[in-house]
Amino acid sequence: MAAAPTIWTIGYERASSDALLSSLKQAGVKVLMDVRDLPLSRRAGFSKSTLRASLEATGIEYLHLKGLGTPKEGRIAAKRRDYDLFWQIVDERMATPEAEFDLLRAAEVARERPSALLCFEADPAVCHRQRVADALADRFGFRIEHIHPTAVV
């Protein structure tokens, strides 16, 4: 019997761009799936176009899966540390047709090539990417591994 495929997750909250890229390469990731609703960041190197260019320069493909992102009201709840509301909003989003479409897409890509889910939070326990990874594990048999970039900003 074949081993379960792995889905990695990574957060860039405390990482430099170089540390993120190095950690992805070390794990053998070939596709970075950005699961932010809005792939923008005040942190240099983490907005969609710049991140895509940096990844592609190191041989990693970039894929934005907007349907799996947390909507604005969820991000506001998380910032306030209202986690009950945050998880409710995340679960509502995960039940949408857009999320289902992008979850199926994520599973298909991750079966073919080593892939990681990207979001902001360093700790996956307080990030919606954990729910996405859990859905991939529960529905498609993925094994979850979290990457923790070592270089701190």
Side-chain angles (χ1 to χ4, degrees):
M1 185 160 87
T6 300
I7 187 71
W8 286 269
T9 85
I10 191 166
Y12 67 88
E13 181 177 18
R14 296 186 190 114
S16 67
S17 179
D18 287 344
L20 181 106
L21 294 170
S22 174
S23 296
L24 291 169
K25 289 213 48 106
Q26 187 174 1
V29 170
K30 299 296 181 196
V31 180
L32 183 71
M33 294 187 270
D34 190 339
V35 294
R36 296 176 292 172
D37 184 57
L38 295 174
L40 304 172
S41 180
R42 290 183 216 148
R43 300 261 322 276
F46 294 103
S47 288
K48 183 177 182 174
S49 298
T50 308
L51 180 59
R52 173 183 276 140
S54 298
L55 288 163
E56 288 177 356
T58 62
I60 298 172
E61 182 183 335
Y62 173 88
L63 177 62
H64 180 222
L65 298 174
K66 180 180 175 62
L68 296 173
T70 302
K72 184 176 182 178
E73 57 274 11
R75 296 190 305 273
I76 291 168
K79 197 171 203 165
R80 289 192 319 248
R81 296 177 190 240
D82 183 348
Y83 290 112
D84 288 338
L85 179 58
F86 169 70
W87 290 117
Q88 176 188 334
I89 292 167
V90 168
D91 290 341
E92 288 170 2
R93 178 59 169 263
M94 291 295 292
T96 66
E98 296 82 9
E100 178 65 16
F101 178 83
D102 277 348
L103 187 70
L104 292 170
R105 200 163 153 213
E108 182 180 319
V109 169
R111 271 193 210 106
E112 297 293 320
R113 291 174 287 161
S115 300
L117 305 171
L118 169 85
C119 199
F120 173 73
E121 289 79 7
D123 180 359
V126 295
C127 181
H128 83 287
R129 76 178 183 274
Q130 181 66 58
R131 283 287 209 282
V132 175
D134 288 344
L136 289 167
D138 294 345
R139 292 183 50 196
F140 305 102
F142 283 88
R143 190 171 56 85
I144 303 167
E145 282 192 32
H146 300 292
I147 300 170
H148 301 281
T150 53
V152 178
V153 178

